[in-house]
């Protein structure tokens, strides 16, 4: 029952939700809900019905069961750092915040795995096991605050996913609360390749539309013996772009291969961690090689040769861990640093074949001129995961609309060369209509049928991931229903 010292909310659903988690673990007043009207995609906002803070799987399951039985839309939320609007409560959802479920449950060094709750912060896992010589590989730029549960929902990547893969490559097991409140274990005991359908692969990256993850078994890795980092400056973006493909073509698989253009460099140098990049260069590459110490020097030498062949202005190898750390801190503040040179920005997340990098960057430059908006490029060049940052001022009438259209044009440019509309940020509400760039109506319908198996009432995170059904699909359904009757 509600604490007698506190008055009833006047809403029976709020009172019942409070009975599940406690009156000190629910927000429902408008002033308290304002912080939950969006995630990192701040262009669209909506207030939830309430925000609840469960402490364990049992409370999550009870909340979900109540919402399901009473037809209340609901969604899960982590740290709120998502960049595609996946945690925005479009339908006055009850937000189930998982931030209080933040335990590191266990670490098994012998089998190289750890078990965490979904609210456990990404970087905290590496910090918790580093003294034993281990780390967690997925490293999104927001890793100091984003949660592993959110990483699972979006299948997050990071700078080092070129060599080590994205989140799905490091997930060994999940505990999931289904949309009716049932709790299931997927791949128990850290054995991911069990017979049958790949449910781990299906759930990872499903953007909170199939279930709510409440426990995660992850793979941890032994720290590499050696590591070296290279910084290369180019006077032409094309030369830097070609160097990216040349490095991989030479048989080198760097741990990370990042690129920034002139506008992006302007931003990071105006941000919190400037390192003195030349103001007049057009592009830079940040390249890291790791692994067994023997052989790293030879790889670095080959990388330096490639850069010189591509007319690099200056190329240098980090001489200390402090210098390497400064270069990476400068890079990882890239998105936020755009606030130092623009009132607002919209980040996109397309993927392209590496060989088309010069062509697509040229097309993005044309899009910038067409819409009259500056576009900075900071991205994981090694695996072709682009992040065009469209700079605009929401105070200027029409600027927000232009930014959104420019973002769509950037994604179309990626799709047109055989790429994808997202590599790690997810679809959410931001890119759901752009799903048509890469999927037919029939393919989209097949995917929504999978969602219906898990989430038949569509109460969990509705209105995300898939576009509004096309007229063609609507007509097909009407015809099919008519024939059936």
């Amino acid at each position: 029952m509600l604490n007698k010292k506190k008055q009833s909310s006047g809403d029976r659903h709020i009172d019942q939700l409070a009975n599940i988690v406690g009156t000190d673990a629910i927000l429902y007043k408008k002033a308290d809900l304002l912080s939950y009207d969006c995630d990192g995609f701040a262009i669209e906002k909506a207030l939830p019905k309430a925000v609840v803070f469960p402490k364990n799987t049992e409370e999550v399951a009870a909340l979900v069961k109540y919402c399901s039985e009473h037809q209340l839309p609901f969604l899960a939320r982590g740290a709120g750092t998502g960049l595609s609007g996946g945690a925005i409560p479009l339908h006055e959802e009850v937000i189930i915040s998982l931030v209080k479920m933040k335990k590191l449950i266990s670490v098994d060094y012998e089998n190289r795995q750890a078990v965490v709750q979904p609210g456990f912060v990404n970087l905290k896992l590496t910090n918790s096991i580093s003294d034993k010589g281990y780390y967690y590989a997925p490293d999104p730029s927001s890793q100091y605050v984003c949660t592993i549960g959110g990483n699972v929902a979006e299948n997050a990547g990071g700078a080092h996913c070129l060599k080590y893969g994205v989140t799905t490559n490091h997930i060994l097991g999940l505990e999931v609360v289904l949309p009716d409140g049932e709790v299931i274990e997927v791949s128990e005991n850290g054995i991911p390749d069990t017979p049958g359908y790949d449910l781990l692969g299906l759930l990872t990256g499903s953007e909170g539309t199939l279930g709510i993850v409440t426990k995660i078994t992850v793979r941890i890795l032994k720290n590499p013996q050696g590591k070296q980092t290279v910084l290369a400056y180019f006077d032409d973006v094309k030369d830097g772009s070609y160097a990216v493909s040349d490095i991989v073509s030479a048989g080198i698989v760097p741990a990370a291969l990042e690129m920034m253009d002139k506008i992006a460099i302007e931003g990071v140098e105006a941000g919190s961690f400037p390192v003195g990049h030349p103001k007049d260069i057009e592009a830079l590459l940040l390249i890291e090689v790791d692994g067994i110490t023997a052989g790293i020097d030879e790889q670095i030498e080959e990388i330096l040769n490639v850069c010189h062949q591509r007319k690099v202005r200056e190329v240098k190898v980090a001489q200390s861990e402090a210098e390497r750390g400064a270069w990476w801190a400068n890079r990882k503040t890239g998105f936020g640093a755009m606030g130092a040179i623009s009132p607002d920005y919209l980040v996109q997340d397309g993927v392209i074949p590496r060989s088309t990098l010069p062509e697509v960057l040229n097309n993005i430059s044309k899009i910038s001129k067409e819409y009259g908006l500056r576009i900075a490029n900071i991205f994981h060049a090694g695996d072709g995961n682009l992040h065009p940052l469209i700079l605009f001022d929401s105070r200027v009438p029409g600027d927000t609309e232009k930014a959104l259209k420019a973002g769509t044009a950037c994604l179309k440019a990626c799709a047109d060369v055989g790429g994808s509309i997202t590599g790690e940020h997810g679809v959410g509400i931001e890119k759901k209509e752009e799903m048509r760039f890469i999927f037919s109506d029939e393919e989209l319908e097949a995917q929504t049928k999978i969602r219906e198996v898990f989430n038949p009432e569509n109460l969990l995170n509705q209105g995300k991931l898939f576009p509004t059904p096309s007229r063609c699909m609507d007509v097909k359904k009407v015809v099919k229903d008519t024939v059936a009757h």
Side-chain angles (χ1 to χ4, degrees):
M1 295 295 291
L2 282 171
N3 189 326
K4 292 182 180 179
K5 294 182 180 179
K6 295 191 177 184
Q7 294 182 344
S8 168
S9 68
D11 183 315
R12 66 182 180 90
H13 292 312
I14 297 295
D15 293 343
Q16 290 302 317
L17 294 171
N19 283 339
I20 295 171
V21 295
T23 55
D24 60 345
I26 184 169
L27 302 175
Y28 59 88
K29 294 180 180 179
K30 182 177 180 181
D32 296 326
L33 299 178
L34 290 173
S35 297
Y36 297 87
D37 64 359
C38 70
D39 53 16
F41 181 70
I43 289 178
E44 190 160 345
K45 298 182 179 183
L47 287 178
K49 180 179 182 64
V51 183
V52 288
F53 300 89
K55 298 178 290 297
N56 51 51
T57 300
E58 291 72 26
E59 289 186 355
V60 173
L63 290 166
V64 169
K65 186 175 182 180
Y66 182 85
C67 289
S68 176
E69 290 176 349
H70 294 84
Q71 293 293 292
L72 294 176
F74 61 99
L75 61 85
R77 179 184 171 108
T81 58
L83 294 167
S84 59
I88 297 177
L90 296 175
H91 302 92
E92 202 178 349
E93 280 92 346
V94 172
I95 291 180
I96 299 175
S97 173
L98 302 171
V99 295
K100 286 191 174 183
M101 297 176 63
K102 55 182 180 181
K103 294 179 182 177
L104 172 56
I105 297 172
S106 65
V107 181
D108 180 350
Y109 293 106
E110 185 178 1
N111 290 303
R112 298 193 178 185
Q113 62 187 43
V115 181
V116 301
Q117 288 185 310
F120 198 74
V121 171
N122 175 294
L123 185 58
K124 193 174 179 180
L125 179 53
T126 290
N127 291 342
S128 299
I129 60 179
S130 60
D131 62 328
K132 301 290 187 181
Y134 289 83
Y135 74 108
Y136 179 60
D139 62 336
S141 293
S142 59
Q143 67 178 144
Y144 59 93
V145 64
C146 68
T147 63
I148 294 179
N151 295 167
V152 171
E154 303 297 338
N155 193 21
H160 291 79
C161 64
L162 169 60
K163 181 176 182 178
Y164 293 102
V166 293
T167 297
T168 191
N169 303 108
H170 300 269
I171 301 302
L172 301 175
L174 296 172
E175 178 184 77
V176 182
V177 177
L178 297 178
D180 62 357
E182 180 185 356
V183 180
I184 64 169
E185 293 272 357
V186 182
S187 299
E188 290 186 79
N189 302 316
I191 303 173
D193 297 322
T194 52
Y197 294 117
D198 181 14
L199 294 181
L200 273 183
L202 178 62
L203 290 164
T204 304
S206 60
E207 303 194 24
T209 62
L210 303 183
I212 297 178
V213 173
T214 51
K215 188 170 66 177
I216 307 154
T217 303
V218 301
R219 176 181 286 112
I220 58 175
L221 302 179
K222 191 74 174 173
N223 286 333
Q225 285 184 5
K227 184 183 297 180
Q228 290 196 46
T229 307
V230 173
L231 181 61
Y233 297 129
F234 293 86
D235 290 310
D236 191 319
V237 173
K238 285 185 179 180
D239 289 330
S241 300
Y242 286 125
V244 170
S245 291
D246 290 350
I247 289 168
V248 179
S249 295
I252 300 170
V253 182
L257 179 43
E258 302 288 287
M259 188 171 184
M260 289 194 279
D261 69 4
K262 188 172 185 176
I263 299 176
I265 293 165
E266 177 190 345
V268 296
E269 286 300 292
S272 304
F273 293 97
V275 294
H277 296 313
K279 294 182 178 180
D280 60 337
I281 59 165
E282 294 297 324
L284 69 76
L285 296 181
L286 184 60
I287 311 154
E288 188 157 280
V289 176
D290 69 9
I292 298 172
T293 303
I296 287 184
D297 286 342
E298 288 81 359
Q299 292 182 67
I300 293 296
E301 189 63 35
E302 182 65 28
I303 289 170
L304 298 180
N305 288 336
V306 167
C307 290
H308 284 299
Q309 290 167 11
R310 288 298 178 182
K311 305 174 186 177
V312 69
R313 180 198 291 190
E314 180 185 0
V315 60
K316 50 189 177 181
V317 180
Q319 297 302 302
S320 66
E321 181 59 29
E323 185 174 35
R324 173 190 170 272
W327 290 352
W328 275 112
N330 176 269
R331 161 61 185 90
K332 291 214 168 189
T333 57
F335 290 1
M338 293 303 107
I341 62 173
S342 175
D344 302 283
Y345 68 88
L346 172 67
V347 58
Q348 281 297 358
D349 177 43
V351 183
I352 60 172
R354 269 189 306 268
S355 60
T356 65
L357 190 53
E359 174 189 350
V360 174
L361 288 179
N362 183 56
N363 288 337
I364 290 174
S365 179
K366 291 178 180 178
I367 292 166
S368 173
K369 292 175 182 176
E370 178 183 352
Y371 288 95
L373 298 172
R374 294 208 299 167
I375 300 180
N377 289 286
I378 305 178
F379 55 96
H380 313 311
D383 54 5
N385 188 187
L386 303 187
H387 294 315
L389 292 132
I390 299 130
L391 311 184
F392 68 102
D393 187 345
S394 60
R395 298 167 298 183
V396 177
D399 241 28
T400 301
E401 291 73 19
K402 283 199 299 182
L404 290 168
K405 289 179 180 178
T408 295
C410 289
L411 295 180
K412 185 68 163 61
C414 294
D416 285 347
V417 296
S420 174
I421 62 168
T422 183
E424 57 182 348
H425 294 173
V427 175
I429 59 174
E430 179 202 25
K431 307 183 193 74
K432 65 178 186 177
E433 296 303 326
E434 284 77 6
M435 287 281 274
R436 300 187 193 285
F437 292 165
I438 56 176
F439 294 113
S440 67
D441 282 345
E442 289 74 19
E443 290 166 334
L444 290 169
E445 187 175 16
Q447 293 181 68
T448 58
K449 285 181 177 179
I450 294 173
R451 181 188 63 192
E452 289 168 5
V453 171
F454 287 82
N455 187 13
E457 301 294 329
N458 198 21
L459 291 173
L460 175 58
N461 212 12
Q462 59 181 282
K464 312 290 173 57
L465 188 57
F466 299 112
T468 304
S470 69
R471 183 175 179 82
C472 175
M473 288 174 66
D474 286 342
V475 169
K476 285 181 181 178
K477 188 176 188 305
V478 170
V479 170
K480 187 184 295 183
D481 290 347
T482 303
V483 171
H485 285 86

